[in-house]
Each structure stands twice: as C-alpha cells, then as structure tokens.
Amino acid sequence: MSVFREVPQAAPVAVFKLSQDFNNDQFPKKVNLGVGAYRTDEGQPWVLPVVKKVEKIVVHDDRLNHEYLPILGLPEFRSSASKIALGDDSPAIQENRVGAVQCLGGTGALKMGAEFLRRFYNGNNNTKTPVYVSAPTWENHNAVFANAGFEDIRSYKYWDAEKRGLDFAGFLGDLESCPEHSIFVLHACAHNPTGTDPTHEQWKQIADTMMRRNLFVFFDSAYQGFASGSLDKDAWAVRYFVSMDFEMLCAQSFSKNFGLYNERVGNLTIVARDADNLKRILSQMEMIVRTTWSNPPSQGARIVAITLNSPELFSEWKDNVKTMADRVLLMRAQLKAKLQALGTPGTWDHITEQIGMFSFTGLNPKQVEYMVKERHVYLMASGRINMCGLTTKNIDYVAESIHEAVTK
Ligand code: PLP
C-alpha cells in the first residue's frame, strides 16, 4: 500500500490546461489566445534580437563560469533591475535605501516578498494581516500569499463589468474601509487580466488614501514596457509612490519584456526607510532565499544585466519592447475595426482603450465556451484574450468567432 494513498488529485492550472487542450486540437484554424506570452505575426515565439546578441556575448566570454551566485543574486542585475523600476535618478537609490533580491521570475519575487512580509511586516509572524488583491487579478496572486501563510486574502473592487472599465469609486471605497496596515497588491501597469490601469490622477488619490490609512503597497510589475511601449511611462505609478515616501516592495518580472519566460528572471525591489533598515531586511531575505532555492540561476540574469548596463544594448532592447507593444496596438485596432464592420452587438471601444498584453473582452462564460468548443479559439473562462495570439492571418476568423458567439 502506498504511503501516498491519501494524496488527492489537484485541479489542473487553468492556463496550462488550456494550452494543452489547444495542442491536442487537430483543427487547422485553431487559435490560442490563452497563455500570456508574446507571439510574432507568424504566431511564433520571439527571441528578442538583443537577447540573441547578448547570448553570443555570454557564450564567448571565457571569464564566465558556473560557480554559485551570491544568495541574493547577481549584484549588477539587481541594481540595474531596480533602476529600471525606480528611474536612474531616483533619490531613494541615491540615499542607499533601495535593495533587491534576484528571484525566480516575477512569481519568485512575489513569493519572496510574501514570505518576508508574513514573517516581519507590522509584527512578527503576522498571519492575520489582510492581503488585498484586485477583483479580478492574475490567478496566482491569491495562492502565492496564502501559501506564504497569510490567512486573510481579500479582494478589492477593480473591474466594473457593466461599463467595462475601472470601478474607481469601489476601489477607493475598499481602501477607505479596509483595516489599517492591510497589504495591497497593485499591478504597476497593464493590469492582468483587464488591461485597465488607473489614470495618473487616480493613482494620486490611491496613494493619498493608502498613505493616510497606513496601508502597505506591494507592486507587481510584470509588463513594464508593454502598456505604452515606454519603460519610463509604465513605471510612473511605482515612481510616484516612491516619491511619496512609501516603504514598499516591487516584484519585477523580465519574462515578458525580455521574452525570457523559461529562464525565470525576476527581481524583488525593496524601498526601505533608510540604509540601516535595508541592511537588516536584506539579511533576512538572505535567510529566506537560503532555505528556498539557496541561490538563483545566472543565465537569464546575466543577459538582462549586460543589456541594461550597456547604453547601446539598452537602447536596442527598448526598440525590441516597442516592437512588441506596437504589434499589440495594431491587433487591438484591427480587432475593434473588424467587430464594428461585422456589426457585432455591443460596444468594442474597450479593446483599444485597454492596454498591455491582454484584453478583457466582456464575453460571458457561455460565449467563451462557444468560442472554444465550436470555433477552436482558446481563451480563459474570464473572457480574457492575449492580444499577441492574434495575427493578420487569424484575426478575421477570431472576429467572426466573437460575432457568432455574441449573436447566436
Ligand atoms: N504577475 C502578473 C500580473 C503576471 O501576469 C505574471 C505572469 O503571467 C507574473 C506576475 C509572473 O511572471 P513570471 O512568469 O516572471 O513568474
């Protein structure tokens, strides 16, 4: 008899299950609008040209080896990654109160941050602190914080399904009514899954309320560059909060903007009150990393660090990011135009109003089921589509499928 006989079957992870179903589907016109990865207009993964170039540099550099990295990661990666988020001229960096932990992707950065907060935020081992994530959010947020030991995961209002936009009044209301010192996970830009971000004026009100109510901000920045095509513009909210003197965490993923999905390149930026505080925080981060993955892998972090630390490569990378962002914009405009030309009932302005990789179409679960089962167009049950899954070759088919799903 097995010692594992009591192990229950866990549910599959929705987005990976969707890709598996897509791969098993033999229908020639099938389309995958599920997983959040960039695709070219040929529907292929894209190795960024700058990444290809830097990979060659890494391979030919005889000084590099496979020794362990420091527990907190590659120093030049950590500092340049934090600079991308906070800006080159960030006063917080100049005041030596910004530090970082190289992590396994954005997920690892969220995990490290969550483990640290559970141990040390506002009292030791405080599992009762409410952690607020947006409704809806990236499906892993809840579980990462619950897994780190937080017992009270709640959601704050974010999406107004009726008007297909931000429920700003609801959001502010939750910031006002939640317990003081609650932790809020905020998407830095290109909100997943809704593609809807607060305006600058709204961010200012969010920051004011959070400051007055002593709420803690944990930014999740997984799409810097994808929202506007500009790294600086997409970091506006993070930089504004730093300028308002918040102590905060920011989880950064380089999976999407470097196309380094399977290299697991992430960074947790810590903005502390002062240098002494930072030193103690990093010492505890070291303890957590040591017992989790001991020290991080180097390849992806080297690629990012070399790119960010060379003015020429950096500017090439910015162009590559813009290429991806521009293709998304083009697909948004075309999809909207095609739905309007078909006379598909409803308004489709939200497709071009939303930003980043995803669009929250507003399709209901029945319509999504029709898309998947009858049209072989794979999308998340929430109605979220990955705009990068659209190409000039499949966009007519997808638009017709949406039209049918809505009108049938
Ligand atoms: N945060 C959000 C909002 C995401 O959408 C994702 C990836 O889809 C991540 C974090 C995690 O990124 P990574 O693949 O680098 O772990």
Side-chain angles (χ1 to χ4, degrees):
M1 202 187 276
S2 166
V3 290
F4 299 121
R5 61 190 170 276
E6 303 291 341
V7 179
Q9 178 68 42
V13 175
V15 71
F16 284 85
K17 165 84 169 48
L18 198 71
S19 287
Q20 203 177 13
D21 291 348
F22 171 80
N23 290 336
N24 293 337
D25 189 338
Q26 300 303 319
F27 188 70
K29 283 177 141 178
K30 67 179 178 175
V31 181
N32 188 357
L33 303 180
V35 69
Y38 182 78
R39 294 287 177 263
T40 63
D41 196 45
E42 282 68 50
Q44 295 303 311
W46 197 44
V47 182
L48 272 54
V50 72
V51 167
K52 271 198 178 150
K53 195 183 261 183
V54 177
E55 277 175 331
K56 286 193 187 120
I57 299 175
V58 170
V59 166
H60 291 110
D61 188 340
D62 289 334
R63 292 163 307 171
L64 297 176
N65 55 42
H66 296 291
E67 290 293 290
Y68 288 123
L69 291 187
I71 293 173
L72 292 180
L74 198 66
E76 60 270 32
F77 165 78
R78 295 160 52 212
S79 57
S80 57
S82 295
K83 269 193 199 158
I84 287 285
L86 271 45
D88 266 346
D89 52 355
S90 164
I93 294 179
Q94 279 148 24
E95 288 155 19
N96 297 318
R97 55 188 183 88
V98 174
V101 187
Q102 182 189 329
C103 295
L104 304 197
T107 310
L110 288 164
K111 167 77 173 165
M112 278 303 115
E115 288 287 341
F116 174 81
L117 290 174
R118 199 261 295 144
R119 284 167 172 76
F120 298 108
Y121 174 67
N122 199 27
N124 288 347
N125 202 26
N126 198 339
T127 60
K128 306 280 183 231
T129 303
V131 176
Y132 280 81
V133 301
S134 61
T137 193
W138 180 50
E139 73 283 351
N140 218 6
H141 276 154
N142 289 275
V144 166
F145 282 88
N147 244 290
F150 283 104
E151 292 166 17
D152 191 1
I153 318 285
R154 308 181 185 187
S155 56
Y156 59 88
K157 293 186 196 69
Y158 195 83
W159 177 250
D160 182 337
E162 197 104 314
K163 74 170 200 221
R164 295 187 179 171
L166 182 67
D167 177 4
F168 187 57
F171 187 172
L172 273 191
D174 286 341
L175 290 172
E176 289 289 0
S177 62
C178 68
E180 278 212 326
H181 302 294
S182 294
I183 294 167
F184 273 74
V185 180
L186 302 181
H187 297 229
C189 68
H191 183 271
N192 177 6
T194 68
T196 301
D197 290 347
T199 63
H200 289 188
E201 278 317 304
Q202 289 170 334
W203 274 123
K204 286 181 184 170
Q205 284 188 58
I206 293 166
D208 282 349
T209 312
M210 290 188 71
M211 184 56 86
R212 176 166 44 78
R213 301 226 47 246
N214 291 313
L215 305 176
F216 186 83
V217 53
F218 192 160
F219 272 110
D220 182 2
S221 177
Y223 298 94
Q224 191 178 353
F226 262 94
S228 67
S230 151
L231 294 162
D232 290 326
K233 278 191 192 153
D234 287 3
W236 190 90
V238 173
R239 293 175 192 180
Y240 182 74
F241 273 70
V242 176
S243 78
M244 293 295 286
D245 233 9
F246 278 88
E247 286 180 277
M248 62 184 225
L249 299 180
C250 177
Q252 296 168 265
S253 166
F254 292 96
S255 302
K256 327 271 172 171
N257 55 16
F258 264 87
L260 287 170
Y261 306 92
N262 67 11
E263 294 291 346
R264 313 309 298 135
V265 200
N267 189 57
L268 178 67
T269 290
I270 302 139
V271 182
R273 188 53 74 227
D274 56 41
D276 173 61
N277 206 217
L278 177 69
K279 190 164 153 256
R280 284 179 284 119
I281 293 170
L282 288 176
S283 75
Q284 292 297 341
M285 290 285 186
E286 256 189 5
M287 290 299 109
I288 303 172
V289 173
R290 178 66 177 150
T291 53
T292 312
W293 52 69
S294 189
N295 43 73
S298 70
Q299 179 75 358
R302 267 180 190 151
I303 293 169
V304 172
I306 292 171
T307 307
L308 298 187
N309 285 303
S310 144
E312 296 79 43
L313 295 169
F314 182 53
S315 124
E316 209 175 316
W317 175 54
K318 285 199 282 195
D319 287 346
N320 290 178
V321 172
K322 191 153 186 326
T323 300
M324 296 191 281
D326 284 349
R327 199 180 94 68
V328 171
L329 286 179
L330 187 69
M331 288 299 107
R332 285 188 185 283
Q334 289 193 2
L335 182 61
K336 177 172 122 178
K338 288 193 191 290
L339 289 169
Q340 286 175 339
L342 287 169
T344 310
T347 59
W348 300 98
D349 292 332
H350 58 282
I351 295 194
T352 48
E353 280 159 10
Q354 293 168 353
I355 52 173
M357 204 178 249
F358 301 113
S359 185
F360 218 43
T361 56
L363 293 177
N364 64 37
K366 266 206 124 74
Q367 293 164 338
V368 171
E369 193 184 322
Y370 182 85
M371 297 277 286
V372 178
K373 293 244 166 79
E374 304 297 328
R375 302 289 296 183
H376 307 261
V377 177
Y378 290 77
L379 67 158
M380 300 291 281
S382 63
R384 183 193 88 167
I385 59 174
N386 174 10
M387 297 308 296
C388 311
L390 292 173
T391 68
T392 44
K393 285 150 217 104
N394 69 22
I395 197 161
D396 284 323
Y397 181 74
V398 171
E400 283 156 20
S401 302
I402 294 177
H403 184 80
E404 267 189 27
V406 172
T407 53
K408 76 181 161 46

